[in-house]
Amino acid sequence: VDGEQYFAAVATALERARREIFIAGWELTPEMYLRRRGATPRAADRLDLLLQRKAMSGVRVYVLIWKETKLAQMGLFSAHSAQHLESLHANIRVVRHPPSFPLNWAHHQKIVVVDQKLAFVGGLDLAFGRYDWHAHTLVDDCHVSTLWPGADFYNQTRFAAANKREPFRCEHDRTAAFRQPWHDVAMCVTGPAAQDVTRNFIQRWNHHRQASADAAHYRRLVPSALTEMAELSPLSMISGGALRHFKNQCDDDEIGAAFSAAC
């Protein structure tokens, strides 16, 4: 419950990733700190720098974020988020979706998947304004020790959207207004539930990358169960029944095509 517990759990899971990290969200702020209260803030706990370390170690990172419409920018700065993350390492790929301009809908899934074995789902984006705990502190005006640095001091009912291209510049008088508390929940799942969340992300990624001219060349993703089967046996040795079983589980023709291509 609340961001303090959730983001700390996500940080620990990301640090333990060995192969792949999947992240999907409506909003994503690369410069947010995943851990802060009760310890000296560390650059190592910043989302972008954590993902960069994992990418440098060989972990592939795939991110899906909502591409805001031109008529309703909403202060998401998704282009900045994508450009910043992809500039960190070639193993980090970001797709913004949709490429067109819908006015009455948006993707609101908040997903983090690690190695296709552990998944987080809930209501918390990895973004400014979401970090909080049970006390829901409203004031953060000590410039020496700030829990919500720069644009992370957030109140959408009182402040205009901050310029997140300058994430650590605070444009508001913290002594004149309070921050907006954020109460939300998320959960961690493993086993079949994590596999289901993984397939959901893979289906979206494979669809969205094709729909985006900038990302069409990015690699297709395949559920790890299929990859492991391919590594153990040539495609010709895998029974048609097994292929149909996994394809039915995936419920997506493109995932089956990606598996065939990978083999």
Side-chain angles (χ1 to χ4, degrees), residues 83-158:
Q83 292 164 6
H84 177 63
L85 286 174
E86 291 200 333
S87 72
L88 298 176
H89 198 276
N91 278 344
I92 301 177
R93 294 299 189 198
V94 183
V95 173
R96 297 189 299 146
H97 189 267
S100 56
F101 308 108
L103 298 178
N104 58 354
W105 61 273
H107 293 306
H108 268 279
Q109 289 181 324
K110 296 96 165 73
I111 294 171
V112 177
V113 178
V114 175
D115 293 335
Q116 302 197 26
K117 295 178 180 179
L118 180 148
F120 296 89
V121 294
L124 287 159
D125 276 310
L126 303 180
F128 280 172
R130 275 55 166 194
Y131 185 93
D132 214 331
W133 62 90
H134 66 89
H136 298 300
T137 302
L138 301 180
V139 178
D140 187 37
D141 59 0
C142 178
H143 69 281
V144 177
S145 179
T146 301
L147 284 174
W148 291 274
D152 205 358
F153 190 80
Y154 175 95
N155 188 331
Q156 63 180 355
T157 68
R158 302 233 173 180

Side-chain angles (χ1 to χ4, degrees), residues 47-241:
L47 176 61
D48 56 348
L49 301 183
L50 196 164
L51 293 177
Q52 182 184 44
R53 291 199 308 277
K54 299 310 298 184
M56 292 174 66
S57 73
V59 174
R60 295 182 179 272
V61 181
Y62 302 92
V63 181
L64 290 172
I65 51 178
W66 168 249
K67 182 179 179 181
E68 63 272 40
T69 70
K70 290 184 177 180
L71 297 180
Q73 290 291 331
M74 303 182 74
L76 299 183
F77 290 89
S78 67
H80 162 75
S81 298
Q83 292 164 6
H84 177 63
L85 286 174
E86 291 200 333
S87 72
L88 298 176
H89 198 276
N91 278 344
I92 301 177
R93 294 299 189 198
V94 183
V95 173
R96 297 189 299 146
H97 189 267
S100 56
F101 308 108
L103 298 178
N104 58 354
W105 61 273
H107 293 306
H108 268 279
Q109 289 181 324
K110 296 96 165 73
I111 294 171
V112 177
V113 178
V114 175
D115 293 335
Q116 302 197 26
K117 295 178 180 179
L118 180 148
F120 296 89
V121 294
L124 287 159
D125 276 310
L126 303 180
F128 280 172
R130 275 55 166 194
Y131 185 93
D132 214 331
W133 62 90
H134 66 89
H136 298 300
T137 302
L138 301 180
V139 178
D140 187 37
D141 59 0
C142 178
H143 69 281
V144 177
S145 179
T146 301
L147 284 174
W148 291 274
D152 205 358
F153 190 80
Y154 175 95
N155 188 331
Q156 63 180 355
T157 68
R158 302 233 173 180
F159 306 148
N163 180 3
K164 292 173 187 173
R165 296 186 187 90
E166 300 180 80
F168 300 114
R169 177 171 174 259
C170 186
E171 300 175 349
H172 314 298
D173 182 357
R174 294 175 179 237
T175 65
F178 54 86
R179 60 170 290 273
Q180 178 180 329
W182 199 284
H183 183 72
D184 218 323
V185 297
M187 63 186 295
C188 177
V189 296
T190 58
Q195 293 171 1
D196 190 61
V197 176
T198 296
R199 286 194 294 270
N200 172 270
F201 181 92
I202 288 174
Q203 288 168 349
R204 283 190 57 193
W205 176 271
N206 289 342
H207 173 272
H208 297 349
R209 57 170 280 281
Q210 276 198 318
S212 172
D214 295 334
H217 63 287
Y218 291 173
R219 65 183 295 174
R220 290 179 177 180
L221 299 180
V222 181
S224 59
L226 297 180
T227 304
E228 289 163 6
M229 286 181 66
E231 289 173 352
L232 291 172
S233 305
L235 183 59
S236 60
M237 297 177 62
I238 301 175
S239 71

